[in-house]
Amino acid sequence: MNNPGTGERLLVATLGRYGVWLRCTVACVCGALGLVSAEAADVPVALCLLVPALLACVVRVRTLRRPLPLAPRWGLDASMVVLIGLSQPVLGHDADLMVEAIIGISVISFQHEWATPPVAGLSLAALGAATCTLGDLLSSPGHLESASLMRMFLEASLSRAAHVIVRSRAARADRTAASQAASRREAAVTAARRATEREYLATLHDTAAATLLMVYQGDGRDWSWLPSRARKDLEALSALPDLGAESVDLAVLLACVPEGEGRARVHLTSHVDGPLTIPSGPGLAIFNGVREAVTNVARHAGVREAKLRAWAEDGGIVVELSDAGRGFEPESVPERRRGLTGSIIGRMHTVGGSASITSRPGAGTRIQWRWHRPIPESRPSPPVNTARAPALPCPPDGREQPTASVRLIRGQLLHGARLAALLISLVVQFGASLRQLTAHHDAYRPAWAQTAAFVCLAFVTATAAGQLLRGRQITSSARRWGMGTVLSVSVVCAFTLPPEHLTGPQDWAFGLVGWHALFFLMDRPIRLFIAFLAAHVGLTVLVVLLSGAPTAAETAVVGISTVSVIGFQLSVGALTHLFHDMAARAGTESARQEKLRTRERIHEQMQHDHRERYRTLTATTVPLLVGLGHGALSPRDEEVRLRCGVEAARMRRLFAEGDAVTDPLLNEVRACVEVAEHQGVTVNLAVRGRPGEVPVEIRRELVDPVAVILGRTRSTARVTVVWTPRAVHVSVVSEDCADGCEPTGPVPAHERSTNSDVTVARTIRGQDVWVAASWERTVPAQELTPT
Amino acid sequence: MSGEPAVSVVVIDDHPAILAGIEAWYAASHRPITVVASGSSVRAAWTAPGSTADVVLLDLQLGNGGPVLPSLRELVDAGRQVVVYSMRDDEKTALSCLDLGAATYLTKSEGREHLVEATLAAADERPYMPPALAGALGTNARTDRPRLSAREENVLIEWFQSESKDLVAQRLGISVRTVNSYLDRVRIKYANAGRPAGTKASLVARAVQDGIVDVNDL
């Protein structure tokens, strides 16, 4: 995947970090043990090999937060395994186990540290195996141990497979979460748009519609109030939806600026004096601008470092991004590169802020975003009607979302980890343990008990696999049965194997049952798994003690196997436990990103809607208001009065659009009729046929002639709505329409449906004007249910 | 004109003001129309002098209650020419009345324009189509409705919309006479398709005789 989701990204990071820590810890501990057990004469040479290897580990741990480039990182890891491998012949035969343990762990952890590219991890594993073999050959020439080579190969493959499985589940969780988030976002955006639309209609209603209606109805009264009111109406209509109702903390936003991935990553040094409260509109504009600017640093500045500062200054906020890169001549930026002008400067202008770019070739680049709280006096509050801008409704709070996505991610991660544990159990049981069991069949007393234990364990694995692959949860009863069996196997195997063979090649169960237990106990508290491992090891120790005190050498061998096998299982268990916390972090982070994205989408959509609405008005209402506001049009002029009537009727129709009624078409027609009747026009409204569905944009076109003609009618008109099975006709006949009953201004572009089938016929005979609009219903009569 | 015989009408309406209005409109007719009797119940149409009137003008909403539609049916079955005159402006009622054999259906808001012509047409057994009725027929979606041509439907709807045959004629580029003939043809088709009744038969017969419809059309 090109763009991993939050869960997958966090998983890869967690696994990688955990791998480095585990490998380095094991290397330090085992390396120290090796030194202690080595002969004094060999110590200086061993130190020369081991110290650089350990130093390489330390460097890797230190650079976890800011990863080194690929090649040096690979070099460090490669030199570490090579040095460790070469130290084997120096430390002597006793150190075999230590070196093998370190390289074994490294081979496994490389698969997680080097998630990408896989070839790097695999080549490191191959290198580890090769040096291990080389060490073996050097320390005891002619003796090639193919078993340990095989084991390493198997471990590396299993580790890689586990990584792929868990990661694919994380990716799946991310995809599901993303699609859920997308639908939530759409719902939020729709709700917000609807709310703003309502608010806009309310504003229109209180401002322009009221003013125009007054002009339409007025005669010879005092119009001195009109110009200032018309101007205020205009101001109210052109005001952007006010996103200021909701504030955000810019400091939090800036902390989310992505630094980029891989080669394009820019390390940001932030000095942000939070909290910086800012309306979400300008906040998002700054955030988006900074984001674009950071990618510009990676792309053009030639450096990987940038400094981000933000502070408050009287009544405003300043954000500054600077780099010491190669800089450029701002004037010479080609026209087609709109990143600077569009994303950074243009965006800020839209929200009433500013951005400036200072750069010179060779002197780095500095970009500043400035935003100042508008001074209240600059927007006088009009006395008659408040020029209120529609407030942006809050996007729904993301409070419940984290839990949902956390549960989702956690579930998928656990499922993936279970699959991996199952795979490991199967491969170990049938790959290694089965061979051990058959090879040493004579050693067991009795042999049938061990065979039965093996079969029982296989049965448990098969049952669990069946449940898991069918997508079922592991029930608590299944877990109890499974754990009971696993414990019994541990007991049986401990007591039916001669104590001297325990943890040796004959003991097939010692390193195996831990994986089964991990499978069952993964989603339980980690202490249960620890308790199981303790019981398992305790049994072996008990049996050894019962058979008499072991020698020091025996103790050492048992101890090392125990630590390397059980310790590794324990660390994997601890890692899966980390998934819980990781899921919580991933969920929270994706919820935060989600909230940002939602806000951004709402903001975008608001602006788009606002532009569309305003464009609609520019053809009709805006020229009227401008004329009235500047005295170019007189309310005493009948033509002006009638134009106001038409626009008032159109607005009434628009307001009626949102009503929840059975017959919206008739409702909108009535809205226009009421405006004319209020003015004293006698309107005869008649309806025939059964009403049906008509899309809103068709209704707009059907009813618009009614608004136009009625607005210009002086005394009498007849309006009819006729529904036939195939068509709907809306007609208006005016007996005395004022001149120019041609529609004043076309039906605004966005109200016109793109391939409308509405036909409008106009007939004028003397004073009579008859306009009829018809729409052929493509779908035959979808009738409305009468209430 | 003056050679044509006077037309006698019995008016069944329970509202005195309406009655006065009707008489005033009739008085202005170019051909004499006399209201020979009036009453607030259908009985006036069955008793002299109402029983011999040429046309019965029947209000659908009589205050004394009781269903008026059965009375309409009885009158039609007795061979009377009934003009239904109603406050109700819905197509369902109009279609039912027409189906029962009423000569025509008028809404009260159409009275001033159409009452005299409708009464005279009924007396002569000629079809008459006021706009409200045209609207009802134009939007009739019943399965048993007669088949109308697209032009006929258009004329019906436009007549309903504009209430002006001049406007319809101008829009369609035809003469007012042709508009009338389309309306008449529709009325005859309905008469022919509806419940058999003496009045309907005479309406169709008269239309064929006048050349409004061709027998083959029906």
Side-chain angles (χ1 to χ4, degrees):
Chain A
M1 249 220 276
N2 298 330
N3 204 357
T6 320
E8 190 183 353
R9 222 177 44 236
L10 267 176
L11 175 76
V12 170
T14 307
L15 287 178
R17 242 194 339 265
Y18 198 79
V20 172
W21 273 107
L22 183 65
R23 174 164 63 89
C24 296
T25 313
V26 169
C28 289
V29 172
C30 292
L33 281 176
L35 276 182
V36 170
S37 64
E39 284 166 32
D42 297 330
V43 168
V45 187
L47 271 180
C48 290
L49 291 170
L50 282 180
V51 168
L54 295 183
L55 271 180
C57 287
V58 172
V59 172
R60 284 288 274 126
V61 171
R62 296 284 301 175
T63 55
L64 268 179
R65 293 218 167 270
R66 288 175 53 189
L68 295 169
L70 227 61
R73 197 145 53 100
W74 196 87
L76 273 178
D77 287 353
S79 58
M80 180 240 168
V81 280
V82 169
L83 289 169
I84 297 274
L86 291 181
S87 71
Q88 190 191 344
V90 180
L91 289 170
H93 192 67
D94 292 344
D96 258 12
L97 273 177
M98 315 282 186
V99 170
E100 248 175 57
I102 299 177
I103 293 190
I105 286 290
S106 304
V107 161
I108 291 169
S109 78
F110 284 148
Q111 306 315 314
H112 301 281
E113 293 171 44
W114 291 90
T116 48
V119 69
L122 292 172
S123 61
L124 280 173
L127 188 67
T131 48
C132 198
T133 316
L134 186 67
D136 273 344
L137 282 177
L138 287 178
S139 62
S140 46
H143 170 73
L144 183 66
E145 210 178 333
S146 64
S148 75
L149 204 62
M150 265 304 292
R151 208 184 62 233
M152 273 186 205
F153 174 74
L154 194 70
E155 282 169 354
S157 318
L158 273 181
S159 173
R160 175 59 64 174
H163 183 90
V164 170
I165 290 172
V166 178
R167 192 174 168 182
S168 78
R169 302 306 293 201
R172 182 189 287 199
D174 285 338
R175 279 198 299 276
T176 315
S179 77
Q180 285 173 352
S183 52
R184 272 200 304 271
R185 186 163 56 233
E186 277 321 300
V189 170
T190 313
R193 285 181 74 183
R194 216 178 291 131
T196 342
E197 178 73 28
R198 273 199 300 275
E199 186 56 40
Y200 163 76
L201 289 178
T203 309
L204 195 62
H205 177 268
D206 298 351
T207 58
T211 309
L212 295 179
L213 203 60
M214 273 190 263
V215 175
Y216 174 51
Q217 290 166 354
D219 44 341
R221 57 166 106 167
D222 175 20
W223 292 108
S224 56
W225 54 271
L226 183 64
S228 73
R229 168 146 182 162
R231 285 197 300 271
K232 273 163 203 154
D233 289 350
L234 267 180
E235 208 175 291
L237 292 181
S238 57
L240 259 176
D242 186 9
L243 296 135
E246 201 200 1
S247 290
V248 294
D249 184 357
L250 188 61
V252 175
L253 273 182
L254 290 177
C256 303
V257 170
E259 297 189 335
E261 302 269 284
R263 298 179 63 85
R265 189 185 162 112
V266 174
H267 184 250
L268 280 180
T269 319
S270 298
H271 299 284
V272 177
D273 304 329
L276 299 168
T277 313
I278 184 170
S280 60
L284 282 169
I286 294 176
F287 170 73
N288 285 324
V290 172
R291 193 163 65 173
E292 171 71 15
V294 169
T295 57
N296 274 348
V297 170
R299 229 179 273 152
H300 306 299
V303 286
R304 291 282 173 274
E305 310 263 334
K307 203 187 284 177
L308 179 64
R309 299 200 305 137
W311 64 94
E313 79 180 11
D314 42 303
I317 285 173
V318 184
V319 176
E320 184 184 278
L321 181 80
S322 52
D323 66 66
R326 60 173 80 99
F328 62 99
E329 200 77 65
E331 284 78 13
S332 68
V333 173
E335 206 41 40
R336 72 198 145 74
R337 266 182 44 199
R338 308 296 301 170
L340 283 177
T341 49
S343 294
I344 296 173
I345 300 173
R347 227 181 224 146
M348 281 311 281
H349 281 174
T350 320
V351 295
S354 65
S356 63
I357 296 163
T358 320
S359 185
R360 234 164 0 96
T365 304
R366 198 184 73 209
I367 307 180
Q368 273 200 344
W369 289 262
R370 278 171 190 280
W371 179 82
H372 284 269
R373 225 164 272 288
I375 306 150
E377 282 75 31
S378 72
R379 270 172 64 180
S381 143
V384 188
N385 53 317
T386 323
R388 64 179 152 150
L392 176 76
C394 264
D397 198 25
R399 206 165 293 150
E400 289 116 56
Q401 288 163 20
T403 48
S405 45
V406 165
R407 220 176 298 131
L408 180 75
I409 296 173
R410 183 181 291 156
Q412 287 289 352
L413 284 180
L414 277 181
H415 191 83
R418 274 230 162 86
L419 280 174
L422 186 71
L423 180 72
I424 294 172
S425 316
L426 279 172
V427 171
V428 173
Q429 186 171 1
F430 291 96
S433 296
L434 185 60
R435 224 183 36 227
Q436 287 170 290
L437 181 67
T438 47
H440 306 284
H441 206 252
D442 312 331
Y444 309 121
R445 301 192 185 92
W448 62 263
Q450 296 258 349
T451 311
F454 187 90
V455 171
C456 279
L457 209 53
F459 179 71
V460 165
T461 316
T463 319
Q467 279 201 331
L468 197 64
L469 293 180
R470 265 178 295 165
R472 300 233 183 105
Q473 291 287 322
I474 304 293
T475 58
S476 56
S477 66
R479 182 184 303 119
R480 266 200 300 279
W481 275 107
M483 284 311 295
T485 316
V486 172
L487 262 178
S488 319
V489 168
S490 165
V491 172
V492 167
C493 291
F495 283 97
T496 58
L497 187 67
E500 65 273 18
H501 293 319
L502 280 172
T503 77
Q506 293 83 356
D507 195 350
W508 58 269
F510 185 72
L512 175 64
V513 292
W515 295 115
H516 290 80
L518 181 62
F519 174 85
F520 285 112
L521 296 178
M522 197 166 282
D523 52 349
R524 311 295 299 164
I526 184 88
R527 60 174 185 274
L528 289 182
F529 184 58
I530 295 175
F532 168 82
L533 290 179
H536 178 56
V537 174
L539 268 173
T540 306
V541 173
L542 182 70
V543 171
V544 171
L545 288 178
L546 283 178
S547 71
T551 64
E554 277 170 357
T555 316
V557 169
V558 172
I560 287 170
S561 334
T562 308
V563 168
S564 69
V565 173
I566 305 299
F568 180 62
Q569 286 174 351
L570 186 62
S571 55
V572 173
L575 176 64
T576 56
H577 195 66
L578 280 185
F579 287 171
H580 291 274
D581 179 44
M582 209 199 82
R585 270 198 301 148
T588 318
E589 187 176 319
S590 61
R592 199 177 52 195
Q593 286 179 356
E594 176 52 29
K595 203 170 171 186
L596 260 181
R597 237 178 265 138
T598 304
R599 224 178 266 174
E600 204 173 320
R601 275 268 293 134
I602 290 179
H603 189 232
E604 251 169 40
Q605 201 63 56
M606 302 280 101
Q607 287 197 333
H608 172 262
D609 289 354
H610 179 73
R611 271 198 304 277
E612 278 304 309
R613 285 193 209 105
Y614 197 71
R615 211 173 59 202
T616 309
L617 292 180
T618 48
T620 53
T621 307
V622 171
L624 265 179
L625 287 176
V626 169
L628 291 170
H630 296 93
L633 298 178
S634 162
R636 292 190 177 81
D637 180 354
E638 201 203 7
E639 174 57 25
V640 172
R641 211 174 56 74
L642 294 176
R643 272 176 69 191
C644 289
V646 169
E647 293 315 320
R650 277 179 165 162
M651 281 183 194
R652 289 285 154 169
R653 192 209 59 74
L654 180 67
F655 300 150
E657 246 176 38
D659 295 349
V661 290
T662 332
D663 186 351
L665 181 70
L666 184 61
N667 184 47
E668 287 164 30
V669 168
R670 281 210 176 108
C672 300
V673 169
E674 275 160 19
V675 173
E677 281 181 338
H678 202 262
Q679 179 60 10
V681 179
T682 307
V683 183
N684 170 5
L685 174 63
V687 184
R688 285 291 180 276
R690 303 183 69 173
E693 297 273 5
V694 181
V696 64
E697 59 274 16
I698 301 289
R699 295 207 303 270
R700 286 178 188 146
E701 285 189 65
L702 285 175
V703 184
D704 196 62
V706 176
V708 173
I709 300 295
L710 285 186
R712 305 184 72 85
T713 296
R714 294 193 184 93
S715 70
T716 314
R718 172 175 169 85
V719 176
T720 56
V721 179
V722 174
W723 301 87
T724 67
R726 280 188 313 280
V728 52
H729 311 268
V730 178
S731 139
V732 56
V733 184
S734 167
E735 288 185 10
D736 47 1
C737 192
D739 290 343
C741 264
E742 298 298 316
T744 57
V747 178
H750 102 274
E751 293 196 358
R752 199 179 299 142
S753 58
T754 41
N755 53 353
S756 128
D757 303 314
V758 174
T759 49
V760 178
R762 187 181 304 277
T763 308
I764 301 173
R765 186 184 168 84
Q767 283 274 68
D768 289 352
V769 175
W770 174 27
V771 181
S774 312
W775 179 60
E776 295 280 333
R777 293 196 264 183
T778 38
V779 189
Q782 169 85 56
E783 270 169 17
L784 297 171
T785 42
T787 47
Chain B
M1 285 282 180
S2 55
E4 288 176 288
V7 173
S8 58
V9 180
V10 53
V11 179
I12 309 211
D13 195 310
D14 57 352
H15 211 292
I18 300 265
L19 188 60
I22 288 168
E23 282 179 332
W25 288 333
Y26 280 156
S29 167
H30 56 86
R31 181 174 158 193
I33 303 176
T34 33
V35 178
V36 294
S38 66
S40 58
S41 93
V42 195
R43 216 174 319 123
W46 294 106
T47 51
S51 55
T52 55
D54 298 328
V55 176
V56 181
L57 185 62
L58 177 65
D59 178 11
L60 268 192
Q61 273 95 32
L62 292 179
N64 55 9
V68 179
L69 287 182
S71 315
L72 168 63
R73 190 188 193 116
E74 283 165 22
L75 286 168
V76 170
D77 287 347
R80 306 292 293 271
Q81 292 289 340
V82 184
V83 172
V84 175
Y85 183 55
S86 168
M87 278 300 281
R88 303 183 60 151
D89 189 14
D90 64 304
E91 56 264 39
K92 214 166 162 188
T93 318
L95 287 173
S96 316
C97 291
L98 216 57
D99 201 39
L100 285 172
T104 191
Y105 181 91
L106 269 180
T107 62
K108 287 194 177 170
S109 60
E110 294 172 320
R112 176 191 293 277
E113 311 279 332
H114 301 283
L115 183 61
V116 169
E117 282 308 314
T119 308
L120 294 178
D124 295 348
E125 296 178 346
R126 278 186 289 110
Y128 191 79
M129 180 87 75
L133 180 61
L137 300 188
T139 56
N140 184 6
R142 292 194 203 165
T143 44
D144 59 349
R145 67 182 190 275
R147 275 177 57 89
L148 302 183
S149 71
R151 201 43 175 294
E152 285 164 352
E153 265 183 27
N154 257 353
V155 170
L156 280 179
I157 288 169
E158 290 183 352
W159 170 226
F160 170 71
Q161 288 177 332
S162 65
E163 294 185 321
S164 156
K165 287 176 182 164
D166 290 325
L167 279 175
V168 176
Q170 182 177 338
R171 172 160 298 177
L172 295 176
I174 54 181
S175 68
V176 174
R177 237 181 92 87
T178 318
V179 172
N180 273 324
S181 75
Y182 278 119
L183 295 176
D184 290 347
R185 275 230 291 273
V186 173
R187 179 66 187 89
I188 298 303
K189 280 185 179 180
Y190 266 85
N192 194 47
R195 191 178 66 95
T199 49
K200 286 184 169 181
S202 56
L203 192 60
V204 176
R206 177 72 193 262
V208 173
Q209 191 186 328
D210 289 357
I212 296 174
V213 286
D214 190 32
V215 186
N216 299 327
D217 286 354
L218 306 166

